[in-house]
Coordinates of all heavy atoms in Angstrom, one line a residue:
M2 N 101.6 99.0 107.3 CA 102.5 98.0 106.9 C 103.8 98.8 106.6 O 103.9 99.8 105.9 CB 102.0 97.3 105.7 CG 102.8 96.1 105.4 SD 102.2 95.0 104.1 CE 100.5 94.8 104.6
D3 N 104.9 98.2 107.0 CA 106.3 98.8 106.8 C 106.7 98.6 105.4 O 107.0 97.5 105.0 CB 107.2 98.2 107.8 CG 108.6 98.7 107.7 OD1 108.9 99.6 106.9 OD2 109.5 98.3 108.5
K4 N 106.8 99.7 104.6 CA 107.2 99.6 103.2 C 108.6 99.0 103.0 O 108.8 98.3 102.0 CB 107.1 101.0 102.5 CG 105.7 101.4 102.1 CD 105.7 102.6 101.3 CE 105.9 102.1 99.9 NZ 105.2 102.7 98.8
V5 N 109.5 99.4 103.8 CA 110.9 98.8 103.7 C 110.9 97.3 103.9 O 111.5 96.6 103.1 CB 111.8 99.5 104.7 CG1 113.2 98.9 104.7 CG2 111.9 101.0 104.4
F6 N 110.1 96.8 104.9 CA 110.0 95.4 105.1 C 109.4 94.7 103.9 O 109.9 93.7 103.5 CB 109.2 95.1 106.4 CG 108.9 93.7 106.6 CD1 109.9 92.8 107.1 CD2 107.7 93.1 106.3 CE1 109.7 91.5 107.3 CE2 107.4 91.8 106.5 CZ 108.4 90.9 107.0
V7 N 108.3 95.3 103.4 CA 107.6 94.6 102.3 C 108.5 94.6 101.1 O 108.6 93.6 100.4 CB 106.3 95.4 102.0 CG1 105.7 95.0 100.6 CG2 105.3 95.2 103.1
R8 N 109.2 95.7 100.8 CA 110.1 95.7 99.6 C 111.2 94.6 99.8 O 111.5 93.9 98.8 CB 110.7 97.1 99.4 CG 111.6 97.1 98.2 CD 112.0 98.5 97.8 NE 112.8 98.5 96.6 CZ 112.4 98.6 95.4 NH1 111.1 98.7 95.1 NH2 113.3 98.5 94.4
K9 N 111.7 94.5 100.9 CA 112.8 93.5 101.2 C 112.3 92.1 101.0 O 112.9 91.3 100.4 CB 113.4 93.7 102.6 CG 114.7 93.0 102.8 CD 115.7 93.4 101.8 CE 117.1 93.3 102.3 NZ 118.0 93.5 101.2
Q10 N 111.1 91.9 101.5 CA 110.5 90.5 101.3 C 110.2 90.2 99.8 O 110.5 89.1 99.4 CB 109.1 90.5 102.1 CG 109.3 90.4 103.6 CD 110.1 89.1 104.0 OE1 111.2 89.2 104.3 NE2 109.4 88.0 104.0
L11 N 109.7 91.2 99.1 CA 109.5 91.0 97.7 C 110.8 90.8 96.9 O 110.8 89.9 96.0 CB 108.7 92.2 97.1 CG 107.3 92.4 97.5 CD1 106.7 93.7 97.0 CD2 106.4 91.3 97.0
E12 N 111.8 91.5 97.3 CA 113.1 91.2 96.7 C 113.6 89.8 97.0 O 114.1 89.1 96.1 CB 114.2 92.2 97.2 CG 114.0 93.6 96.7 CD 114.9 94.7 97.4 OE1 115.5 94.3 98.4 OE2 114.9 95.8 96.9
N13 N 113.4 89.4 98.2 CA 113.8 88.0 98.5 C 113.0 87.0 97.8 O 113.5 86.0 97.3 CB 113.6 87.8 100.0 CG 114.7 88.5 100.9 OD1 115.8 88.8 100.4 ND2 114.4 88.8 102.1
F14 N 111.7 87.2 97.7 CA 110.8 86.2 96.9 C 111.2 86.2 95.4 O 111.3 85.1 94.8 CB 109.3 86.6 97.0 CG 108.8 86.6 98.4 CD1 107.8 87.5 98.8 CD2 109.2 85.7 99.4 CE1 107.2 87.4 100.0 CE2 108.7 85.7 100.6 CZ 107.7 86.5 101.0
Y15 N 111.5 87.4 94.9 CA 111.9 87.4 93.5 C 113.2 86.7 93.2 O 113.4 85.9 92.3 CB 112.1 88.9 93.0 CG 112.6 89.1 91.6 CD1 111.8 88.7 90.5 CD2 113.9 89.6 91.4 CE1 112.3 88.9 89.3 CE2 114.4 89.8 90.1 CZ 113.6 89.4 89.1 OH 114.1 89.5 87.8
L16 N 114.2 86.9 94.1 CA 115.5 86.2 93.9 C 115.4 84.7 94.1 O 116.0 83.9 93.5 CB 116.5 86.8 94.9 CG 117.1 88.2 94.5 CD1 118.0 88.7 95.7 CD2 117.8 88.2 93.2
E17 N 114.5 84.3 95.1 CA 114.3 82.9 95.3 C 113.6 82.3 94.0 O 114.0 81.2 93.7 CB 113.3 82.7 96.5 CG 113.0 81.3 96.8 CD 112.0 81.2 98.0 OE1 112.3 81.8 99.0 OE2 111.0 80.5 97.8
D18 N 112.7 83.0 93.4 CA 112.0 82.5 92.2 C 112.9 82.4 91.0 O 113.0 81.4 90.3 CB 110.8 83.3 92.0 CG 110.0 82.7 90.8 OD1 109.7 81.5 90.8 OD2 109.6 83.5 89.9
V19 N 113.6 83.5 90.7 CA 114.4 83.6 89.5 C 115.9 83.4 89.7 O 116.6 82.9 88.8 CB 114.2 85.0 88.9 CG1 115.1 85.2 87.7 CG2 112.8 85.3 88.5
G20 N 116.4 83.7 90.9 CA 117.8 83.5 91.1 C 118.5 84.7 90.4 O 118.0 85.8 90.3
Y21 N 119.6 84.4 89.8 CA 120.4 85.5 89.1 C 120.2 85.3 87.6 O 120.8 86.1 86.9 CB 121.8 85.5 89.6 CG 121.9 85.8 91.0 CD1 122.0 84.8 92.0 CD2 121.8 87.1 91.4 CE1 122.1 85.2 93.3 CE2 121.9 87.5 92.8 CZ 122.0 86.5 93.7 OH 122.1 86.8 95.0
S22 N 119.5 84.3 87.2 CA 119.3 84.1 85.7 C 118.0 83.3 85.6 O 117.6 82.6 86.4 CB 120.5 83.4 85.1 OG 120.3 83.2 83.8
D23 N 117.4 83.5 84.4 CA 116.2 82.7 84.1 C 116.4 82.1 82.7 O 116.4 82.9 81.7 CB 114.9 83.6 84.1 CG 113.7 82.9 83.8 OD1 113.4 81.8 84.3 OD2 112.9 83.3 82.9
I24 N 116.5 80.8 82.6 CA 116.9 80.2 81.4 C 115.9 80.4 80.3 O 116.2 80.5 79.1 CB 117.2 78.7 81.6 CG1 117.9 78.1 80.4 CG2 115.9 77.9 82.0 CD1 118.5 76.7 80.7
T25 N 114.6 80.5 80.7 CA 113.6 80.7 79.7 C 113.7 82.0 79.0 O 113.8 82.1 77.8 CB 112.2 80.5 80.3 OG1 112.1 79.2 80.9 CG2 111.1 80.6 79.2
T26 N 113.6 83.1 79.8 CA 113.7 84.4 79.2 C 115.0 84.8 78.7 O 115.1 85.6 77.7 CB 113.2 85.5 80.2 OG1 114.0 85.4 81.4 CG2 111.7 85.4 80.6
D27 N 116.1 84.2 79.2 CA 117.4 84.4 78.6 C 117.6 83.9 77.2 O 118.4 84.4 76.5 CB 118.5 83.7 79.5 CG 118.7 84.4 80.8 OD1 118.2 85.6 81.0 OD2 119.3 83.9 81.7
N28 N 116.7 83.0 76.8 CA 116.8 82.4 75.5 C 115.7 82.8 74.5 O 115.6 82.3 73.4 CB 116.9 80.9 75.6 CG 118.2 80.4 76.2 OD1 119.2 80.6 75.6 ND2 118.1 79.8 77.4
L29 N 114.9 83.8 74.9 CA 113.8 84.3 74.1 C 114.2 85.7 73.5 O 114.8 86.5 74.2 CB 112.5 84.4 74.9 CG 111.9 83.1 75.3 CD1 110.7 83.4 76.2 CD2 111.5 82.3 74.2
P30 N 113.9 85.9 72.3 CA 114.2 87.2 71.7 C 113.1 88.3 72.1 O 112.3 88.7 71.3 CB 114.2 87.0 70.2 CG 113.2 85.8 70.0 CD 113.3 85.0 71.3
L31 N 113.1 88.7 73.4 CA 112.1 89.6 73.9 C 112.7 90.9 74.2 O 112.4 91.5 75.2 CB 111.5 88.9 75.1 CG 110.6 87.7 74.8 CD1 110.2 87.1 76.1 CD2 109.4 88.0 74.0
D32 N 113.5 91.5 73.3 CA 114.0 92.8 73.5 C 113.1 93.9 73.1 O 113.4 95.1 73.0 CB 115.4 92.9 72.9 CG 115.3 92.6 71.4 OD1 114.3 92.1 70.9 OD2 116.3 92.9 70.7
K33 N 111.8 93.5 72.8 CA 110.8 94.5 72.4 C 109.8 94.7 73.5 O 109.6 93.8 74.4 CB 110.2 94.2 71.1 CG 109.4 92.9 71.1 CD 108.8 92.6 69.8 CE 108.0 91.3 69.8 NZ 107.3 91.1 68.6
N34 N 109.0 95.8 73.4 CA 108.0 96.0 74.4 C 106.7 95.2 74.1 O 106.4 95.0 72.9 CB 107.6 97.5 74.5 CG 108.6 98.3 75.2 OD1 109.5 97.7 75.9 ND2 108.6 99.6 75.1
I35 N 106.1 94.7 75.1 CA 104.8 93.9 74.9 C 103.8 94.5 75.9 O 104.1 95.3 76.8 CB 105.1 92.4 75.2 CG1 105.4 92.2 76.7 CG2 106.1 91.9 74.2 CD1 105.4 90.7 77.1
Q36 N 102.6 94.0 75.7 CA 101.5 94.3 76.7 C 101.0 92.9 77.2 O 100.8 92.0 76.4 CB 100.3 95.0 76.1 CG 99.2 95.3 77.1 CD 98.0 96.0 76.5 OE1 97.3 95.4 75.7 NE2 97.9 97.3 76.8
A37 N 100.8 92.8 78.5 CA 100.3 91.5 79.1 C 99.2 91.8 80.0 O 99.1 92.9 80.6 CB 101.4 90.8 79.8
Q38 N 98.2 90.9 80.1 CA 97.1 91.1 81.1 C 97.1 89.9 82.0 O 97.3 88.7 81.6 CB 95.8 91.2 80.3 CG 95.7 92.4 79.5 CD 94.3 92.5 78.8 OE1 93.8 91.5 78.4 NE2 93.8 93.7 78.7
I39 N 96.8 90.2 83.3 CA 96.5 89.1 84.2 C 95.0 89.1 84.3 O 94.3 90.0 84.7 CB 97.1 89.4 85.6 CG1 98.7 89.5 85.4 CG2 96.7 88.4 86.6 CD1 99.4 89.9 86.7
V40 N 94.4 87.9 84.0 CA 93.0 87.7 83.8 C 92.5 86.6 84.8 O 93.1 85.6 84.9 CB 92.6 87.3 82.4 CG1 91.1 87.1 82.2 CG2 93.1 88.4 81.4
S41 N 91.4 86.9 85.4 CA 90.8 85.9 86.3 C 90.3 84.7 85.6 O 89.6 84.7 84.6 CB 89.6 86.6 87.1 OG 88.9 85.7 87.9
K42 N 90.6 83.5 86.2 CA 90.1 82.2 85.7 C 88.8 81.8 86.4 O 88.2 80.9 85.9 CB 91.2 81.1 86.0 CG 92.4 81.2 85.1 CD 93.3 80.0 85.4 CE 94.4 79.9 84.4 NZ 95.2 78.7 84.7
D43 N 88.5 82.5 87.5 CA 87.3 82.1 88.2 C 86.8 83.3 89.0 O 87.4 84.3 89.0 CB 87.7 80.9 89.2 CG 86.5 80.0 89.5 OD1 85.4 80.4 89.3 OD2 86.8 78.9 90.0
E44 N 85.7 83.1 89.7 CA 85.2 84.2 90.5 C 85.8 84.1 91.9 O 86.3 83.1 92.4 CB 83.7 84.1 90.6 CG 83.1 82.9 91.4 CD 81.6 83.0 91.5 OE1 80.9 83.0 90.4 OE2 81.1 83.1 92.6
G45 N 85.8 85.2 92.6 CA 86.4 85.3 94.0 C 86.6 86.7 94.4 O 86.0 87.7 93.8
I46 N 87.4 86.9 95.4 CA 87.7 88.2 96.0 C 89.2 88.4 95.7 O 90.0 87.5 96.1 CB 87.4 88.3 97.5 CG1 86.0 87.9 97.8 CG2 87.8 89.6 98.0 CD1 85.0 88.9 97.2
I47 N 89.6 89.5 95.1 CA 91.0 89.7 94.8 C 91.8 90.1 96.0 O 91.3 90.8 96.9 CB 91.1 90.8 93.6 CG1 92.5 90.7 93.0 CG2 90.8 92.1 94.1 CD1 92.8 89.5 92.2
A48 N 93.1 89.6 96.0 CA 94.0 90.0 97.1 C 95.4 90.0 96.5 O 95.7 89.3 95.5 CB 94.0 88.9 98.2
G49 N 96.2 90.9 97.0 CA 97.6 91.0 96.5 C 98.0 92.1 95.6 O 99.1 92.3 95.3
T50 N 97.0 92.8 95.0 CA 97.3 93.8 94.0 C 98.0 95.0 94.6 O 98.7 95.7 93.9 CB 96.0 94.3 93.3 OG1 95.1 94.9 94.3 CG2 95.3 93.2 92.6
T51 N 98.0 95.2 95.9 CA 98.7 96.3 96.5 C 100.2 96.1 96.4 O 100.9 97.1 96.5 CB 98.3 96.4 98.0 OG1 98.6 95.2 98.7 CG2 96.9 96.8 98.2
F52 N 100.7 94.9 96.2 CA 102.1 94.6 96.1 C 102.6 94.6 94.6 O 103.8 94.5 94.4 CB 102.4 93.3 96.7 CG 102.0 93.2 98.2 CD1 100.9 92.4 98.5 CD2 102.6 94.0 99.1 CE1 100.5 92.4 99.9 CE2 102.2 93.9 100.5 CZ 101.1 93.1 100.8
V53 N 101.7 94.6 93.6 CA 102.2 94.4 92.3 C 103.1 95.5 91.7 O 104.1 95.2 91.2 CB 100.9 94.2 91.3 CG1 101.3 94.2 89.9 CG2 100.2 93.0 91.7
K54 N 102.7 96.8 92.0 CA 103.6 97.9 91.5 C 104.9 97.8 92.1 O 105.9 98.0 91.5 CB 102.9 99.2 91.7 CG 101.8 99.5 90.8 CD 101.2 100.9 90.9 CE 100.2 101.1 89.9 NZ 99.7 102.5 89.8
E55 N 105.0 97.5 93.4 CA 106.3 97.4 94.1 C 107.1 96.3 93.6 O 108.3 96.4 93.3 CB 106.0 97.3 95.6 CG 107.3 97.3 96.4 CD 107.9 98.7 96.5 OE1 107.1 99.7 96.4 OE2 109.1 98.9 96.7
L56 N 106.5 95.2 93.3 CA 107.2 94.0 92.8 C 107.8 94.3 91.4 O 109.0 94.1 91.2 CB 106.3 92.8 92.7 CG 106.9 91.6 92.0 CD1 108.1 91.1 92.9 CD2 105.9 90.5 91.9
F57 N 107.0 94.9 90.5 CA 107.5 95.2 89.2 C 108.5 96.3 89.2 O 109.4 96.4 88.3 CB 106.4 95.4 88.2 CG 105.9 94.1 87.6 CD1 104.7 93.5 88.1 CD2 106.6 93.4 86.6 CE1 104.2 92.3 87.7 CE2 106.1 92.2 86.2 CZ 104.9 91.7 86.7
S58 N 108.5 97.2 90.2 CA 109.5 98.2 90.3 C 110.9 97.6 90.6 O 111.9 98.1 90.3 CB 109.1 99.3 91.3 OG 109.3 98.8 92.6
I59 N 110.8 96.4 91.3 CA 112.1 95.7 91.6 C 112.6 95.0 90.3 O 113.8 95.1 90.0 CB 111.8 94.6 92.7 CG1 111.5 95.3 94.0 CG2 113.0 93.7 92.8 CD1 110.9 94.4 95.1
V60 N 111.7 94.4 89.6 CA 112.0 93.7 88.3 C 112.5 94.7 87.3 O 113.6 94.5 86.7 CB 110.8 92.9 87.8 CG1 111.2 92.3 86.5 CG2 110.4 91.9 88.8
D61 N 111.7 95.7 87.0 CA 112.1 96.7 86.0 C 111.2 98.0 86.2 O 110.0 97.9 86.0 CB 111.8 96.1 84.6 CG 112.1 97.1 83.5 OD1 112.3 98.3 83.7 OD2 112.1 96.6 82.3
P62 N 111.8 99.0 86.7 CA 111.0 100.2 87.1 C 110.3 100.9 85.9 O 109.5 101.8 86.1 CB 112.0 101.1 87.8 CG 113.3 100.6 87.5 CD 113.2 99.2 87.1
T63 N 110.7 100.5 84.6 CA 110.1 101.1 83.5 C 108.8 100.5 83.1 O 108.1 101.0 82.2 CB 111.0 101.1 82.3 OG1 111.3 99.8 81.8 CG2 112.3 101.8 82.6
I64 N 108.4 99.3 83.7 CA 107.1 98.7 83.4 C 106.0 99.5 83.8 O 105.9 99.9 85.0 CB 107.1 97.2 84.0 CG1 108.2 96.4 83.4 CG2 105.7 96.6 83.8 CD1 108.3 95.0 84.0
N65 N 105.0 99.7 82.9 CA 103.8 100.4 83.3 C 102.8 99.4 83.8 O 102.5 98.4 83.1 CB 103.2 101.1 82.0 CG 101.9 101.9 82.3 OD1 101.6 102.2 83.5 ND2 101.2 102.2 81.3
V66 N 102.3 99.6 85.1 CA 101.4 98.7 85.7 C 100.1 99.4 85.9 O 100.0 100.5 86.6 CB 102.0 98.2 87.1 CG1 101.0 97.3 87.8 CG2 103.3 97.6 86.9
Q67 N 99.0 98.9 85.4 CA 97.7 99.4 85.6 C 96.9 98.3 86.3 O 96.7 97.2 85.9 CB 97.0 99.7 84.2 CG 97.7 100.8 83.5 CD 97.0 101.0 82.1 OE1 96.6 100.1 81.4 NE2 96.8 102.3 81.8
I68 N 96.4 98.7 87.5 CA 95.6 97.8 88.3 C 94.1 98.2 88.1 O 93.7 99.3 88.3 CB 96.0 98.0 89.8 CG1 97.4 97.5 89.9 CG2 95.1 97.1 90.7 CD1 98.0 97.7 91.3
H69 N 93.4 97.2 87.6 CA 91.9 97.4 87.3 C 91.0 96.9 88.4 O 89.9 97.3 88.5 CB 91.6 96.6 86.0 CG 92.5 97.0 84.8 ND1 92.4 98.2 84.2 CD2 93.5 96.3 84.2 CE1 93.3 98.3 83.2 NE2 94.0 97.1 83.2
K70 N 91.5 96.0 89.2 CA 90.7 95.4 90.4 C 91.6 95.6 91.6 O 92.7 95.2 91.7 CB 90.4 94.0 90.2 CG 89.5 93.7 88.9 CD 88.1 94.2 89.1 CE 87.3 93.9 87.9 NZ 85.9 94.4 88.1
R71 N 91.0 96.2 92.6 CA 91.7 96.4 93.9 C 91.5 95.3 94.9 O 90.5 94.6 94.8 CB 91.3 97.7 94.5 CG 91.5 98.9 93.6 CD 92.8 99.5 93.7 NE 93.1 100.5 92.7 CZ 94.2 100.9 92.3 NH1 95.3 100.3 92.8 NH2 94.4 101.8 91.4
D72 N 92.3 95.2 95.9 CA 92.2 94.2 96.9 C 90.8 94.3 97.6 O 90.3 95.5 97.8 CB 93.2 94.4 98.0 CG 94.6 93.9 97.6 OD1 94.7 93.4 96.5 OD2 95.5 94.0 98.4
G73 N 90.1 93.2 97.7 CA 88.8 93.2 98.3 C 87.6 93.3 97.3 O 86.5 93.0 97.7
E74 N 87.9 93.5 96.1 CA 86.9 93.6 95.0 C 86.5 92.2 94.6 O 87.3 91.3 94.5 CB 87.3 94.4 93.8 CG 87.3 95.9 94.0 CD 87.6 96.6 92.7 OE1 86.9 96.3 91.7 OE2 88.5 97.5 92.7
H75 N 85.2 92.0 94.3 CA 84.7 90.8 93.7 C 85.1 90.7 92.3 O 85.0 91.7 91.5 CB 83.2 90.7 93.9 CG 82.7 89.4 93.4 ND1 82.7 88.2 94.2 CD2 82.1 89.0 92.3 CE1 82.2 87.2 93.6 NE2 81.8 87.6 92.4
I76 N 85.6 89.5 91.8 CA 86.0 89.3 90.4 C 85.2 88.1 89.9 O 84.8 87.2 90.7 CB 87.5 89.1 90.3 CG1 88.0 88.0 91.2 CG2 88.3 90.4 90.5 CD1 89.5 87.6 90.9
K77 N 85.1 88.1 88.6 CA 84.4 87.0 87.9 C 85.3 86.5 86.8 O 86.3 87.1 86.4 CB 83.1 87.3 87.4 CG 83.0 88.4 86.4 CD 81.6 88.8 86.1 CE 81.5 89.9 85.0 NZ 82.3 91.0 85.2
H78 N 85.0 85.3 86.3 CA 85.8 84.7 85.2 C 86.0 85.7 84.0 O 85.0 86.3 83.6 CB 85.1 83.4 84.7 CG 85.9 82.8 83.6 ND1 85.6 83.1 82.2 CD2 86.9 81.9 83.5 CE1 86.4 82.4 81.5 NE2 87.2 81.7 82.2
G79 N 87.2 85.9 83.6 CA 87.4 86.8 82.5 C 87.7 88.2 82.8 O 88.1 89.0 81.9
D80 N 87.6 88.6 84.1 CA 87.9 90.0 84.4 C 89.4 90.3 84.3 O 90.3 89.4 84.7 CB 87.6 90.3 85.9 CG 86.1 90.5 86.1 OD1 85.3 90.7 85.1 OD2 85.7 90.6 87.3
V81 N 89.7 91.4 83.7 CA 91.1 91.8 83.6 C 91.5 92.5 84.9 O 90.9 93.4 85.3 CB 91.4 92.8 82.4 CG1 92.8 93.3 82.4 CG2 91.0 92.2 81.1
I82 N 92.5 91.9 85.6 CA 92.9 92.4 86.9 C 94.0 93.4 86.8 O 93.9 94.4 87.5 CB 93.3 91.2 87.8 CG1 92.1 90.2 88.0 CG2 93.8 91.7 89.2 CD1 92.5 88.9 88.5
I83 N 95.0 93.1 86.0 CA 96.2 94.0 85.9 C 96.6 94.0 84.4 O 96.5 92.9 83.7 CB 97.3 93.4 86.7 CG1 96.9 93.5 88.2 CG2 98.6 94.2 86.5 CD1 97.8 92.8 89.1
T84 N 97.0 95.1 83.9 CA 97.7 95.2 82.6 C 99.1 95.7 82.8 O 99.3 96.6 83.6 CB 96.9 96.2 81.7 OG1 95.5 95.8 81.6 CG2 97.5 96.3 80.3
L85 N 100.0 95.0 82.1 CA 101.4 95.4 82.2 C 101.9 95.8 80.8 O 101.6 95.1 79.8 CB 102.2 94.2 82.7 CG 101.8 93.6 84.0 CD1 102.4 92.2 84.1 CD2 102.2 94.5 85.1
E86 N 102.7 96.8 80.7 CA 103.3 97.2 79.4 C 104.8 97.5 79.7 O 105.1 98.2 80.6 CB 102.7 98.4 78.9 CG 101.2 98.2 78.4 CD 100.6 99.4 77.8 OE1 101.2 100.0 76.8 OE2 99.6 99.9 78.3
G87 N 105.6 97.0 78.8 CA 107.1 97.2 78.9 C 107.9 96.1 78.3 O 107.4 95.3 77.4
S88 N 109.1 95.9 78.7 CA 110.0 94.9 78.2 C 109.4 93.5 78.4 O 109.1 93.1 79.5 CB 111.4 95.0 78.9 OG 112.1 93.9 78.7
G89 N 109.4 92.8 77.2 CA 108.9 91.5 77.3 C 109.7 90.6 78.2 O 109.1 89.8 79.0
K90 N 111.0 90.8 78.2 CA 111.9 90.0 79.1 C 111.6 90.2 80.5 O 111.5 89.3 81.3 CB 113.3 90.3 78.7 CG 114.2 89.1 78.9 CD 115.6 89.4 78.3 CE 115.9 88.2 77.5 NZ 117.3 88.2 76.9
S91 N 111.4 91.5 80.9 CA 111.1 91.9 82.3 C 109.7 91.4 82.7 O 109.6 90.9 83.9 CB 111.2 93.4 82.4 OG 112.4 93.8 82.2
I92 N 108.7 91.4 81.9 CA 107.4 91.0 82.2 C 107.3 89.5 82.4 O 106.7 89.0 83.4 CB 106.4 91.5 81.2 CG1 106.2 93.0 81.4 CG2 105.0 90.8 81.4 CD1 105.3 93.7 80.3
L93 N 108.0 88.8 81.5 CA 108.0 87.3 81.7 C 108.9 86.9 82.8 O 108.7 85.9 83.4 CB 108.4 86.6 80.3 CG 107.4 86.8 79.2 CD1 107.9 86.1 77.9 CD2 106.1 86.2 79.6

């Protein structure tokens, strides 16, 4: 897969979703670091984790991304898939 193409697509998706401002996070006092987890709501096969680090490097390269489940792995309800640490504003 072409990394340049993937990064450009992720940048486009991000700008489409957030635009140049996000009214919710712009009005929250989230100038401190937080930890967040992406947790499975159901069972299934995970897909898309290969793009998470690249996506968050676009949003904020200082965010620490830990991937606990890789693409193709079976997941069940309650599994922690990804842990994020960094700026609350960037993560939200």
Side-chain angles (χ1 to χ4, degrees):
M2 190 173 311
D3 183 357
K4 279 192 85 141
V5 174
F6 173 77
V7 169
R8 182 170 179 90
K9 193 58 151 169
Q10 287 298 103
L11 290 172
E12 288 171 351
N13 290 336
F14 297 150
Y15 174 70
L16 287 175
E17 179 182 310
D18 183 50
V19 176
Y21 296 98
S22 180
D23 179 49
I24 194 166
T25 303
T26 54
D27 287 347
N28 290 296
L29 294 174
L31 293 173
D32 55 348
K33 64 180 182 176
N34 285 347
I35 65 169
Q36 181 184 70
Q38 293 181 326
I39 298 174
V40 179
S41 173
K42 288 183 170 183
D43 208 341
E44 67 178 62
I46 306 296
I47 195 67
T50 60
T51 56
F52 304 109
V53 173
K54 285 188 179 185
E55 188 70 27
L56 176 62
F57 276 99
S58 77
I59 293 166
V60 175
D61 180 347
T63 67
I64 294 174
N65 180 19
V66 179
Q67 294 177 319
I68 297 175
H69 306 289
K70 299 289 183 179
R71 303 274 175 204
D72 287 358
E74 284 189 52
H75 184 79
I76 55 172
K77 61 185 182 312
H78 179 270
D80 280 352
V81 176
I82 300 167
I83 296 166
T84 301
L85 305 165
E86 292 182 57
S88 162
K90 210 167 230 188
S91 295
I92 289 172
L93 292 178

